[in-house]
Amino acid sequence: RRNPSALIPSVRLLAPSTTRAAFSSDTTTSPPEQDEPRKVWVSNEPGDAKSAALDPTHPRDLYMRRSTSKLLGPMGGALTLAGLGGLGYIHLLEYVQFWDAVCVSLVASGSMSLAASIKHEAETKKQLEKSEQKFEFKLLNDSYLHYKEVKNLEGVLDLNVIYPKELTDRLTVARGKQVKECFDQREERTTQLTERMKTSLDAGATFKEAMEELHPRVFVLDFVDNIGRRKPTQSTRDVVHRFADMVSLVISVANKHDEVVVRVTSPGGAVMDYGLAASQMARLKRAGLSTVACVDTVAASGGYMLACVADKLVAAPFAFLGSIGVVAQMFNFHKVLKRVEVDPLLFTAGKYKRTVTPFQETTPDAVEKFNKDIAEIHDAFKEHVSDHRATLERTIDDVATGETWLALQAKQHGLVDELMTSDEYLRGRMDRFDVLLVQPVKRKKSLADLLEKTASESAAAMSQLLSGSWIGGLFGRGAAEGAVQARSAVPLESIEAVDRDHFGRSGHL
């Protein structure tokens, strides 16, 4: 059955022309201090896959059937050997044929058991081979990431220089003093950590909890929606689904001492897609994990809807944020069709099943209803921002005008917490945390993968093309699903400091 929502015009988040912002004197880029206690929400998900495995609650695990596959092989071998040995013994003593039949039966039973065992092992191995690893972890700490570069630098500089004896003696004393200070600091840190572990263990902490406190981690997730690029590689829907998979993975392996950093790059997208992405971020908070959103270039419209959910939002000074608004656009061809004497027929049940369409005559009642729908979406967007940004310096109506600001301005309005790049924030965490990037596994491309990639790129390019024209209202990504689209709009000619590829067409996104 054809989807009747295919004629709903597309609706997107609005961002009018931005004005150049005056430089702010508040450009502090130092890493933040220790986080204050946060409100931990109640989650319906298990917080740790390891703990769930140690304490199973699913009936499948509680009433696990004992596998007999490991017994089939030895049992089959024993029966086969017994049967063959019996046959040889009978033929030597020339016993009656009845015992021949018994021994043959033993050989047959043993052979069948061996065959069943081999088949079971082959099927298990095949299932394991089919299971595909979607993501992998990459350690970003400087001591591991730039190890070869540091060694190369030391070799290039070659500091084996012969200095005068007096200078050499002074340098030796200074080096010894520095080494002693380093060892003292390390000893002090070790003592503090040991005492803290003793306190935790005396308070009843388990071995697993103690190890989690000793080795805190920062998981880095990338949310990059490049639908506005000239050659998009993924649709927004695919980006959101991959983000959901990464969130599920992190929730299953993280603990209360860990932190999750989401690097957001997005000019916006469909309301239902970014509403789902924001809900995925909320899952991390409900699981009791500390969340930080980092914006280096743009998180406008739907992108800000996602980023504002985090406990802390940091952005580069010239990143674009905001665009808390809604926009809808379409062409109406009623007069053109009337001129060529073509009557479009539309059959609906329900007063507001269809309001404004590309081919029907627009009535004041339909326009009023459609504007009301847009206003309700805008109100929901404002409530969403208000709930997650308690630090707003102005009322939500003052910032939810659809404007897009530089992070310098957004911080003054309370839309941003800190001004720094994601790299600076992560390096500030490397002294106490293992910083791990969660990324898709790179695998060899087959012909099917290439065809799938080509189809995905074509669909994303078509979605981008249709979202900026009247066809988007008829067949567009959001409209074809009877939903509302959300995308920020920033005229590219007024933004020279930002990569143009992060935005769509001029005036439409």
Side-chain angles (χ1 to χ4, degrees), residues 347-384:
F347 305 96
T348 63
K351 182 179 180 181
Y352 294 117
K353 185 62 178 178
R354 282 294 174 272
T355 53
V356 180
T357 68
F359 304 120
Q360 302 295 325
E361 182 178 5
T362 303
T363 63
D365 186 40
V367 172
E368 180 182 358
K369 171 59 177 173
F370 195 75
N371 284 329
K372 181 180 178 182
D373 294 339
I374 294 177
E376 290 177 351
I377 297 172
H378 191 207
D379 290 340
F381 195 177
K382 292 192 294 184
E383 183 178 357
H384 173 83

mmCIF file of all heavy atoms in Angstrom, residues 347-384:
data_model
loop_
_atom_site.group_PDB
_atom_site.id
_atom_site.type_symbol
_atom_site.label_atom_id
_atom_site.label_comp_id
_atom_site.label_asym_id
_atom_site.label_seq_id
_atom_site.Cartn_x
_atom_site.Cartn_y
_atom_site.Cartn_z
ATOM 1 N N PHE A 347 -7.878 11.574 -1.863
ATOM 2 C CA PHE A 347 -8.954 11.044 -1.032
ATOM 3 C C PHE A 347 -8.422 10.815 0.371
ATOM 4 O O PHE A 347 -7.424 10.104 0.553
ATOM 5 C CB PHE A 347 -9.489 9.736 -1.616
ATOM 6 C CG PHE A 347 -9.928 9.873 -3.055
ATOM 7 C CD1 PHE A 347 -9.052 9.524 -4.086
ATOM 8 C CD2 PHE A 347 -11.177 10.352 -3.373
ATOM 9 C CE1 PHE A 347 -9.435 9.647 -5.403
ATOM 10 C CE2 PHE A 347 -11.568 10.479 -4.695
ATOM 11 C CZ PHE A 347 -10.694 10.133 -5.715
ATOM 12 N N THR A 348 -9.049 11.411 1.345
ATOM 13 C CA THR A 348 -8.589 11.287 2.731
ATOM 14 C C THR A 348 -9.759 10.999 3.651
ATOM 15 O O THR A 348 -10.926 11.258 3.312
ATOM 16 C CB THR A 348 -7.898 12.583 3.201
ATOM 17 O OG1 THR A 348 -8.856 13.656 3.172
ATOM 18 C CG2 THR A 348 -6.718 12.931 2.319
ATOM 19 N N ALA A 349 -9.469 10.458 4.812
ATOM 20 C CA ALA A 349 -10.434 10.271 5.882
ATOM 21 C C ALA A 349 -9.853 10.932 7.118
ATOM 22 O O ALA A 349 -8.788 10.534 7.585
ATOM 23 C CB ALA A 349 -10.694 8.787 6.139
ATOM 24 N N GLY A 350 -10.499 11.935 7.623
ATOM 25 C CA GLY A 350 -9.945 12.725 8.715
ATOM 26 C C GLY A 350 -9.763 14.166 8.250
ATOM 27 O O GLY A 350 -9.220 14.409 7.168
ATOM 28 N N LYS A 351 -10.182 15.091 9.072
ATOM 29 C CA LYS A 351 -10.177 16.500 8.673
ATOM 30 C C LYS A 351 -8.799 16.993 8.307
ATOM 31 O O LYS A 351 -8.628 17.747 7.337
ATOM 32 C CB LYS A 351 -10.764 17.344 9.808
ATOM 33 C CG LYS A 351 -10.850 18.830 9.485
ATOM 34 C CD LYS A 351 -11.463 19.602 10.636
ATOM 35 C CE LYS A 351 -11.553 21.099 10.304
ATOM 36 N NZ LYS A 351 -12.144 21.874 11.434
ATOM 37 N N TYR A 352 -7.790 16.584 9.078
ATOM 38 C CA TYR A 352 -6.451 17.106 8.861
ATOM 39 C C TYR A 352 -5.481 16.025 8.366
ATOM 40 O O TYR A 352 -4.284 16.097 8.624
ATOM 41 C CB TYR A 352 -5.902 17.708 10.156
ATOM 42 C CG TYR A 352 -6.665 18.929 10.608
ATOM 43 C CD1 TYR A 352 -7.353 18.937 11.810
ATOM 44 C CD2 TYR A 352 -6.704 20.073 9.819
ATOM 45 C CE1 TYR A 352 -8.058 20.047 12.230
ATOM 46 C CE2 TYR A 352 -7.403 21.200 10.215
ATOM 47 C CZ TYR A 352 -8.086 21.180 11.431
ATOM 48 O OH TYR A 352 -8.780 22.293 11.829
ATOM 49 N N LYS A 353 -6.019 15.025 7.651
ATOM 50 C CA LYS A 353 -5.141 14.010 7.097
ATOM 51 C C LYS A 353 -4.177 14.628 6.099
ATOM 52 O O LYS A 353 -3.022 14.222 5.997
ATOM 53 C CB LYS A 353 -5.964 12.898 6.427
ATOM 54 C CG LYS A 353 -5.128 11.738 5.931
ATOM 55 C CD LYS A 353 -4.403 11.059 7.076
ATOM 56 C CE LYS A 353 -3.601 9.868 6.594
ATOM 57 N NZ LYS A 353 -2.860 9.239 7.688
ATOM 58 N N ARG A 354 -4.626 15.600 5.353
ATOM 59 C CA ARG A 354 -3.791 16.390 4.466
ATOM 60 C C ARG A 354 -4.162 17.854 4.641
ATOM 61 O O ARG A 354 -5.340 18.211 4.625
ATOM 62 C CB ARG A 354 -3.967 15.990 2.997
ATOM 63 C CG ARG A 354 -3.235 14.739 2.603
ATOM 64 C CD ARG A 354 -1.726 14.949 2.675
ATOM 65 N NE ARG A 354 -1.028 13.696 2.424
ATOM 66 C CZ ARG A 354 -0.726 12.818 3.355
ATOM 67 N NH1 ARG A 354 -1.089 13.040 4.601
ATOM 68 N NH2 ARG A 354 -0.079 11.722 3.063
ATOM 69 N N THR A 355 -3.134 18.678 4.817
ATOM 70 C CA THR A 355 -3.375 20.115 4.967
ATOM 71 C C THR A 355 -2.831 20.861 3.750
ATOM 72 O O THR A 355 -3.585 21.310 2.891
ATOM 73 C CB THR A 355 -2.724 20.629 6.254
ATOM 74 O OG1 THR A 355 -1.347 20.241 6.281
ATOM 75 C CG2 THR A 355 -3.418 20.044 7.478
ATOM 76 N N VAL A 356 -1.514 20.981 3.658
ATOM 77 C CA VAL A 356 -0.876 21.671 2.536
ATOM 78 C C VAL A 356 -0.149 20.638 1.690
ATOM 79 O O VAL A 356 0.686 19.886 2.189
ATOM 80 C CB VAL A 356 0.122 22.729 3.050
ATOM 81 C CG1 VAL A 356 0.784 23.440 1.879
ATOM 82 C CG2 VAL A 356 -0.578 23.724 3.952
ATOM 83 N N THR A 357 -0.469 20.602 0.399
ATOM 84 C CA THR A 357 0.151 19.656 -0.526
ATOM 85 C C THR A 357 0.623 20.411 -1.759
ATOM 86 O O THR A 357 0.175 21.538 -2.028
ATOM 87 C CB THR A 357 -0.849 18.563 -0.949
ATOM 88 O OG1 THR A 357 -1.873 19.153 -1.759
ATOM 89 C CG2 THR A 357 -1.470 17.901 0.275
ATOM 90 N N PRO A 358 1.502 19.821 -2.569
ATOM 91 C CA PRO A 358 2.009 20.520 -3.755
ATOM 92 C C PRO A 358 0.959 20.722 -4.846
ATOM 93 O O PRO A 358 1.128 21.604 -5.694
ATOM 94 C CB PRO A 358 3.134 19.608 -4.258
ATOM 95 C CG PRO A 358 3.490 18.740 -3.110
ATOM 96 C CD PRO A 358 2.234 18.559 -2.333
ATOM 97 N N PHE A 359 -0.123 19.933 -4.877
ATOM 98 C CA PHE A 359 -1.020 19.944 -6.020
ATOM 99 C C PHE A 359 -2.424 20.432 -5.695
ATOM 100 O O PHE A 359 -3.186 20.756 -6.600
ATOM 101 C CB PHE A 359 -1.105 18.529 -6.615
ATOM 102 C CG PHE A 359 0.230 17.958 -6.985
ATOM 103 C CD1 PHE A 359 0.683 16.789 -6.401
ATOM 104 C CD2 PHE A 359 1.046 18.590 -7.910
ATOM 105 C CE1 PHE A 359 1.913 16.253 -6.726
ATOM 106 C CE2 PHE A 359 2.278 18.070 -8.246
ATOM 107 C CZ PHE A 359 2.714 16.895 -7.653
ATOM 108 N N GLN A 360 -2.783 20.474 -4.415
ATOM 109 C CA GLN A 360 -4.119 20.902 -4.053
ATOM 110 C C GLN A 360 -4.145 22.408 -3.765
ATOM 111 O O GLN A 360 -3.132 23.001 -3.403
ATOM 112 C CB GLN A 360 -4.607 20.137 -2.817
ATOM 113 C CG GLN A 360 -4.616 18.632 -2.990
ATOM 114 C CD GLN A 360 -5.593 18.162 -4.047
ATOM 115 O OE1 GLN A 360 -6.665 18.740 -4.207
ATOM 116 N NE2 GLN A 360 -5.232 17.120 -4.779
ATOM 117 N N GLU A 361 -5.290 23.002 -3.918
ATOM 118 C CA GLU A 361 -5.435 24.425 -3.614
ATOM 119 C C GLU A 361 -5.282 24.629 -2.105
ATOM 120 O O GLU A 361 -5.865 23.912 -1.296
ATOM 121 C CB GLU A 361 -6.806 24.922 -4.069
ATOM 122 C CG GLU A 361 -7.014 26.412 -3.825
ATOM 123 C CD GLU A 361 -8.357 26.891 -4.327
ATOM 124 O OE1 GLU A 361 -9.154 26.040 -4.781
ATOM 125 O OE2 GLU A 361 -8.622 28.112 -4.261
ATOM 126 N N THR A 362 -4.474 25.612 -1.743
ATOM 127 C CA THR A 362 -4.199 25.872 -0.342
ATOM 128 C C THR A 362 -5.301 26.725 0.254
ATOM 129 O O THR A 362 -5.641 27.782 -0.279
ATOM 130 C CB THR A 362 -2.842 26.587 -0.183
ATOM 131 O OG1 THR A 362 -1.821 25.790 -0.784
ATOM 132 C CG2 THR A 362 -2.521 26.801 1.279
ATOM 133 N N THR A 363 -5.836 26.270 1.377
ATOM 134 C CA THR A 363 -6.908 26.998 2.054
ATOM 135 C C THR A 363 -6.366 27.646 3.326
ATOM 136 O O THR A 363 -5.380 27.174 3.900
ATOM 137 C CB THR A 363 -8.060 26.045 2.424
ATOM 138 O OG1 THR A 363 -7.575 25.061 3.353
ATOM 139 C CG2 THR A 363 -8.595 25.345 1.182
ATOM 140 N N PRO A 364 -6.973 28.739 3.789
ATOM 141 C CA PRO A 364 -6.513 29.378 5.038
ATOM 142 C C PRO A 364 -6.544 28.431 6.227
ATOM 143 O O PRO A 364 -5.656 28.469 7.076
ATOM 144 C CB PRO A 364 -7.506 30.535 5.219
ATOM 145 C CG PRO A 364 -7.990 30.841 3.839
ATOM 146 C CD PRO A 364 -8.045 29.516 3.131
ATOM 147 N N ASP A 365 -7.545 27.551 6.271
ATOM 148 C CA ASP A 365 -7.636 26.604 7.375
ATOM 149 C C ASP A 365 -6.463 25.619 7.354
ATOM 150 O O ASP A 365 -5.891 25.288 8.392
ATOM 151 C CB ASP A 365 -8.959 25.856 7.279
ATOM 152 C CG ASP A 365 -9.178 24.943 8.491
ATOM 153 O OD1 ASP A 365 -8.848 25.376 9.614
ATOM 154 O OD2 ASP A 365 -9.664 23.812 8.310
ATOM 155 N N ALA A 366 -6.070 25.178 6.148
ATOM 156 C CA ALA A 366 -4.950 24.247 6.025
ATOM 157 C C ALA A 366 -3.642 24.919 6.429
ATOM 158 O O ALA A 366 -2.807 24.324 7.122
ATOM 159 C CB ALA A 366 -4.861 23.710 4.598
ATOM 160 N N VAL A 367 -3.450 26.170 5.996
ATOM 161 C CA VAL A 367 -2.228 26.898 6.355
ATOM 162 C C VAL A 367 -2.156 27.115 7.858
ATOM 163 O O VAL A 367 -1.097 26.970 8.475
ATOM 164 C CB VAL A 367 -2.173 28.237 5.600
ATOM 165 C CG1 VAL A 367 -1.016 29.087 6.106
ATOM 166 C CG2 VAL A 367 -2.058 28.001 4.102
ATOM 167 N N GLU A 368 -3.276 27.459 8.465
ATOM 168 C CA GLU A 368 -3.301 27.667 9.911
ATOM 169 C C GLU A 368 -2.944 26.388 10.654
ATOM 170 O O GLU A 368 -2.173 26.419 11.628
ATOM 171 C CB GLU A 368 -4.687 28.143 10.330
ATOM 172 C CG GLU A 368 -4.811 28.399 11.824
ATOM 173 C CD GLU A 368 -6.213 28.828 12.223
ATOM 174 O OE1 GLU A 368 -7.073 28.951 11.319
ATOM 175 O OE2 GLU A 368 -6.448 29.044 13.426
ATOM 176 N N LYS A 369 -3.480 25.261 10.207
ATOM 177 C CA LYS A 369 -3.186 23.986 10.844
ATOM 178 C C LYS A 369 -1.711 23.628 10.685
ATOM 179 O O LYS A 369 -1.054 23.158 11.631
ATOM 180 C CB LYS A 369 -4.074 22.891 10.235
ATOM 181 C CG LYS A 369 -3.722 21.470 10.658
ATOM 182 C CD LYS A 369 -3.802 21.270 12.164
ATOM 183 C CE LYS A 369 -3.509 19.826 12.530
ATOM 184 N NZ LYS A 369 -3.407 19.625 13.985
ATOM 185 N N PHE A 370 -1.171 23.867 9.486
ATOM 186 C CA PHE A 370 0.227 23.524 9.249
ATOM 187 C C PHE A 370 1.151 24.394 10.098
ATOM 188 O O PHE A 370 2.133 23.910 10.666
ATOM 189 C CB PHE A 370 0.559 23.687 7.767
ATOM 190 C CG PHE A 370 1.845 23.041 7.372
ATOM 191 C CD1 PHE A 370 1.949 21.667 7.235
ATOM 192 C CD2 PHE A 370 2.982 23.803 7.148
ATOM 193 C CE1 PHE A 370 3.132 21.068 6.885
ATOM 194 C CE2 PHE A 370 4.178 23.203 6.801
ATOM 195 C CZ PHE A 370 4.256 21.836 6.659
ATOM 196 N N ASN A 371 0.857 25.675 10.196
ATOM 197 C CA ASN A 371 1.651 26.559 11.053
ATOM 198 C C ASN A 371 1.560 26.133 12.518
ATOM 199 O O ASN A 371 2.532 26.244 13.278
ATOM 200 C CB ASN A 371 1.172 28.005 10.902
ATOM 201 C CG ASN A 371 1.638 28.631 9.601
ATOM 202 O OD1 ASN A 371 2.703 28.299 9.088
ATOM 203 N ND2 ASN A 371 0.837 29.528 9.049
ATOM 204 N N LYS A 372 0.398 25.659 12.912
ATOM 205 C CA LYS A 372 0.236 25.181 14.283
ATOM 206 C C LYS A 372 1.115 23.956 14.532
ATOM 207 O O LYS A 372 1.738 23.836 15.601
ATOM 208 C CB LYS A 372 -1.234 24.840 14.535
ATOM 209 C CG LYS A 372 -1.512 24.348 15.953
ATOM 210 C CD LYS A 372 -2.991 24.018 16.129
ATOM 211 C CE LYS A 372 -3.262 23.471 17.527
ATOM 212 N NZ LYS A 372 -4.686 23.091 17.699
ATOM 213 N N ASP A 373 1.181 23.048 13.558
ATOM 214 C CA ASP A 373 2.034 21.870 13.696
ATOM 215 C C ASP A 373 3.496 22.263 13.835
ATOM 216 O O ASP A 373 4.234 21.706 14.660
ATOM 217 C CB ASP A 373 1.852 20.943 12.490
ATOM 218 C CG ASP A 373 0.457 20.338 12.432
ATOM 219 O OD1 ASP A 373 -0.206 20.306 13.483
ATOM 220 O OD2 ASP A 373 0.053 19.899 11.342
ATOM 221 N N ILE A 374 3.936 23.234 13.025
ATOM 222 C CA ILE A 374 5.325 23.687 13.103
ATOM 223 C C ILE A 374 5.599 24.309 14.471
ATOM 224 O O ILE A 374 6.662 24.084 15.080
ATOM 225 C CB ILE A 374 5.618 24.691 11.973
ATOM 226 C CG1 ILE A 374 5.535 24.007 10.613
ATOM 227 C CG2 ILE A 374 6.993 25.326 12.155
ATOM 228 C CD1 ILE A 374 5.746 24.942 9.448
ATOM 229 N N ALA A 375 4.656 25.094 14.967
ATOM 230 C CA ALA A 375 4.826 25.731 16.276
ATOM 231 C C ALA A 375 4.929 24.686 17.383
ATOM 232 O O ALA A 375 5.711 24.851 18.333
ATOM 233 C CB ALA A 375 3.661 26.681 16.545
ATOM 234 N N GLU A 376 4.164 23.610 17.281
ATOM 235 C CA GLU A 376 4.237 22.557 18.292
ATOM 236 C C GLU A 376 5.590 21.860 18.274
ATOM 237 O O GLU A 376 6.141 21.535 19.335
ATOM 238 C CB GLU A 376 3.113 21.541 18.061
ATOM 239 C CG GLU A 376 1.714 22.090 18.364
ATOM 240 C CD GLU A 376 0.629 21.089 18.063
ATOM 241 O OE1 GLU A 376 0.950 20.027 17.459
ATOM 242 O OE2 GLU A 376 -0.539 21.342 18.404
ATOM 243 N N ILE A 377 6.129 21.640 17.075
ATOM 244 C CA ILE A 377 7.463 21.047 16.977
ATOM 245 C C ILE A 377 8.493 21.988 17.587
ATOM 246 O O ILE A 377 9.397 21.566 18.319
ATOM 247 C CB ILE A 377 7.807 20.741 15.509
ATOM 248 C CG1 ILE A 377 6.834 19.699 14.951
ATOM 249 C CG2 ILE A 377 9.247 20.248 15.377
ATOM 250 C CD1 ILE A 377 6.963 19.482 13.467
ATOM 251 N N HIS A 378 8.347 23.284 17.309
ATOM 252 C CA HIS A 378 9.270 24.264 17.872
ATOM 253 C C HIS A 378 9.176 24.291 19.400
ATOM 254 O O HIS A 378 10.198 24.373 20.100
ATOM 255 C CB HIS A 378 8.965 25.651 17.290
ATOM 256 C CG HIS A 378 10.010 26.669 17.602
ATOM 257 N ND1 HIS A 378 9.747 28.015 17.673
ATOM 258 C CD2 HIS A 378 11.334 26.532 17.887
ATOM 259 C CE1 HIS A 378 10.859 28.654 17.977
ATOM 260 N NE2 HIS A 378 11.829 27.784 18.105
ATOM 261 N N ASP A 379 7.975 24.221 19.932
ATOM 262 C CA ASP A 379 7.804 24.200 21.390
ATOM 263 C C ASP A 379 8.471 22.966 21.997
ATOM 264 O O ASP A 379 9.092 23.055 23.074
ATOM 265 C CB ASP A 379 6.311 24.218 21.740
ATOM 266 C CG ASP A 379 5.656 25.558 21.415
ATOM 267 O OD1 ASP A 379 6.385 26.555 21.286
ATOM 268 O OD2 ASP A 379 4.419 25.596 21.281
ATOM 269 N N ALA A 380 8.341 21.837 21.330
ATOM 270 C CA ALA A 380 8.988 20.616 21.831
ATOM 271 C C ALA A 380 10.508 20.762 21.803
ATOM 272 O O ALA A 380 11.205 20.308 22.726
ATOM 273 C CB ALA A 380 8.549 19.413 21.001
ATOM 274 N N PHE A 381 11.032 21.394 20.758
ATOM 275 C CA PHE A 381 12.465 21.633 20.648
ATOM 276 C C PHE A 381 12.929 22.549 21.786
ATOM 277 O O PHE A 381 13.952 22.304 22.436
ATOM 278 C CB PHE A 381 12.770 22.254 19.280
ATOM 279 C CG PHE A 381 14.225 22.219 18.892
ATOM 280 C CD1 PHE A 381 14.625 22.693 17.656
ATOM 281 C CD2 PHE A 381 15.197 21.719 19.743
ATOM 282 C CE1 PHE A 381 15.953 22.677 17.284
ATOM 283 C CE2 PHE A 381 16.532 21.688 19.375
ATOM 284 C CZ PHE A 381 16.911 22.173 18.139
ATOM 285 N N LYS A 382 12.183 23.621 22.049
ATOM 286 C CA LYS A 382 12.553 24.547 23.123
ATOM 287 C C LYS A 382 12.519 23.852 24.488
ATOM 288 O O LYS A 382 13.405 24.063 25.328
ATOM 289 C CB LYS A 382 11.606 25.750 23.116
ATOM 290 C CG LYS A 382 11.757 26.656 21.905
ATOM 291 C CD LYS A 382 11.014 27.973 22.077
ATOM 292 C CE LYS A 382 9.519 27.756 22.129
ATOM 293 N NZ LYS A 382 8.795 29.057 22.197
ATOM 294 N N GLU A 383 11.518 23.041 24.705
ATOM 295 C CA GLU A 383 11.427 22.319 25.980
ATOM 296 C C GLU A 383 12.591 21.346 26.136
ATOM 297 O O GLU A 383 13.141 21.180 27.235
ATOM 298 C CB GLU A 383 10.098 21.569 26.046
ATOM 299 C CG GLU A 383 9.870 20.851 27.367
ATOM 300 C CD GLU A 383 8.518 20.157 27.411
ATOM 301 O OE1 GLU A 383 7.749 20.281 26.437
ATOM 302 O OE2 GLU A 383 8.248 19.494 28.427
ATOM 303 N N HIS A 384 12.984 20.728 25.029
ATOM 304 C CA HIS A 384 14.114 19.799 25.046
ATOM 305 C C HIS A 384 15.393 20.524 25.464
ATOM 306 O O HIS A 384 16.152 20.034 26.317
ATOM 307 C CB HIS A 384 14.275 19.185 23.652
ATOM 308 C CG HIS A 384 15.502 18.347 23.484
ATOM 309 N ND1 HIS A 384 15.581 17.025 23.879
ATOM 310 C CD2 HIS A 384 16.723 18.654 22.962
ATOM 311 C CE1 HIS A 384 16.782 16.553 23.606
ATOM 312 N NE2 HIS A 384 17.497 17.520 23.048
#
